[in-house]
Amino acid sequence: MALDDIETPFGGVRGAVGGAGTYAALAASLLAPVRLTGIVGEDFPASALADLASRGIDLGGVEIVPGGRSFRWGGRYHFDMNTRETLYTDLGVFANFSPELPLGWADTPFVFLANIQPQLQYHVLSQIRSPRFVMADTMDLWIKSERQALLDLLRRVDVLLVNDAELRQLSQEHNLTVAAARVLDYGPRYVVIKKGEYGAALVWRDGHFAIPALPLPDVVDPTGAGDTFAGGMIGMLAWLGDTSEAALRQALVVGTAAASLCVQDFGIEALKKVTVAHLYERYETLRAMTTFAPCPLHV
Amino acid sequence: MALDDIETPFGGVRGAVGGAGTYAALAASLLAPVRLTGIVGEDFPASALADLASRGIDLGGVEIVPGGRSFRWGGRYHFDMNTRETLYTDLGVFANFSPELPLGWADTPFVFLANIQPQLQYHVLSQIRSPRFVMADTMDLWIKSERQALLDLLRRVDVLLVNDAELRQLSQEHNLTVAAARVLDYGPRYVVIKKGEYGAALVWRDGHFAIPALPLPDVVDPTGAGDTFAGGMIGMLAWLGDTSEAALRQALVVGTAAASLCVQDFGIEALKKVTVAHLYERYETLRAMTTFAPCPLHV
């Protein structure tokens, strides 16, 4: 959970409520009850917490540190809106975060471990008795500096979410197909490759699923798109009560739909207004966009 | 039609038979009779011409210049195999090329204008009485230096094929969705956006179709992939005898299948061995890779 300063070539915001947990929880809450763990300082707007609670998000795992300062991130998007630079990160109360779940949360079936240090992700996961399905995100920093902790985590994860560069870095393989196969050897049953404006792919031992991004005339702010995607995914799996390959395909489509809605305003503003009807509409747009007839060639 | 010197991080070839017309004709010839126009010098291997003829490609439009030197291109691929630099181009006989079609070719129904100066593309097209369907490729050089000639051509074209950068350059719009809409205003009914390892998209006034590339563990040489894609596309439209939006979707899938086969060896070596059975198999792999169930969310 964070407060973000975001600059794009077309405008920006300062101190916007954000953070991976916030985006993912908002997206998932459209489809399933959500329990959120995180940490904020006294500067985190009470109204934002009330907004999350009003969406049925249980904030019992959110620690509010009196006198503390929330994690802050500043980022600037380049003209193509697909690459960004981090201007600063200010850890604040996050520096001493040790996520402790309420005891009653040990039965949580669907778990999304948003991007934090892999040791903390592992610590969260250890507090859940026998999760049905676990998804984890990570980043270049941890792949480089906490590789062994990340590998330890991956043995207990069903899905790892990465982008192209992270996949290459983690696997030390250039070809993405070979790279994904290697990461499957580390433990996850699935690798999700997030490709930004080019969509996403799901790779498992025997197959591959790909979904393009929705073409949008108005990308305002890509911040949180990946977390919204993950939140939509795990929310859909929980809604379906199914973790089959067919369910995962549907979950990737819902994630793509949610992410496409997220990027059409700054921060969480668009996401706050999203309904299930919006997800349905974009899901079916994606289906129309990707459907084609069987091969008629005679062989 | 060209002789190529190709360098990749994993090997290379010198003087390999290539050229947009060669790749496109080879791919299209799997599905329909092909008429090829182009120009070569005396250095172009007679065996390569015999290979093309043996595939049922009519070489009646190919000019062989005695004592002349074929167009030569040298390119180097970077480590990601998705970007390349041109090391040199040597126009040779191409410098004075004025493509003249045999008189009997005026009835050709499906026309692919591979990447040459737009004036020459226009000249070829003018020799065909009332083509049923016209596709054209182009490049950054012509968009910059021959913009008006290209715009003149676009008024007579059904499909323009471009990559992301060319689409932005031609439309002078950054957002690809807005950019494609602007190019449709120039005349074509469809824009095909070629995205290399990220697949391809078809954009028309009211909609959008997207197909991912096949994930390949062994990309050897991307040279000619775009031309093979275009050749597979127009070959499939001719095979279907249909230019509806549904047929174009299928044509993009066949083009993607053909391109995926092309890149698995240097130059035209892989393409020479491709059969309709290979296209069928990859088409159905792409269908399995992109299929998902209707949206079950209640709205």
Side-chain angles (χ1 to χ4, degrees), chain A residues 96-171:
Chain A
N96 302 304
F97 184 36
S98 176
E100 305 300 330
L101 303 188
L103 285 178
W105 290 15
D107 64 351
T108 306
F110 293 88
V111 181
F112 172 51
L113 303 166
N115 172 34
I116 43 172
Q117 271 174 278
Q119 292 90 339
L120 295 187
Q121 292 174 306
Y122 197 98
H123 182 62
V124 169
L125 190 55
S126 301
Q127 296 170 63
I128 298 169
R129 209 170 301 112
S130 54
R132 180 164 168 198
F133 201 79
V134 180
M135 295 180 18
D137 192 11
T138 191
M139 72 186 291
D140 52 356
L141 177 63
W142 313 131
I143 295 171
K144 188 175 172 189
S145 66
E146 303 291 343
R147 184 175 177 85
Q148 191 51 53
L150 180 58
L151 291 175
D152 291 343
L153 178 73
L154 290 185
R155 281 197 293 276
R156 297 186 55 183
V157 155
D158 295 286
V159 175
L160 176 68
L161 295 117
V162 280
N163 63 30
D164 285 16
E166 291 160 356
L167 179 56
R168 290 183 168 126
Q169 187 189 3
L170 176 59
S171 65

Side-chain angles (χ1 to χ4, degrees), chain A residues 211-297:
Chain A
I211 183 83
L214 274 151
L216 298 172
D218 53 348
V219 175
V220 173
D221 174 15
T223 307
D227 304 309
T228 301
F229 173 87
M233 251 193 91
I234 199 144
M236 187 62 179
L237 292 172
W239 189 92
L240 289 165
D242 184 359
T243 62
S244 67
E245 176 215 308
L248 277 154
R249 289 176 182 239
Q250 292 181 286
L252 254 83
V253 180
V254 169
T256 301
S260 78
L261 291 154
C262 170
V263 302
Q264 292 192 288
D265 203 346
F266 283 104
I268 60 171
E269 288 313 305
L271 203 48
K272 276 160 63 178
K273 295 172 202 137
V274 170
T275 65
V276 173
H278 293 126
L279 293 182
Y280 177 89
E281 184 202 345
R282 297 229 165 164
Y283 185 113
E284 288 300 320
T285 299
L286 281 163
R287 211 155 64 87
M289 240 179 75
T290 55
T291 300
F292 54 94
C295 189
L297 298 172

Side-chain angles (χ1 to χ4, degrees), chain A residues 164 175 198 249 283 288 291 293, chain B residues 164 175 198 216 249 283 288 291 293:
Chain A
D164 285 16
N175 180 289
Y198 297 113
R249 289 176 182 239
Y283 185 113
T291 300
Chain B
D164 285 18
N175 180 290
Y198 297 113
L216 298 172
R249 289 176 183 238
Y283 185 114
T291 301

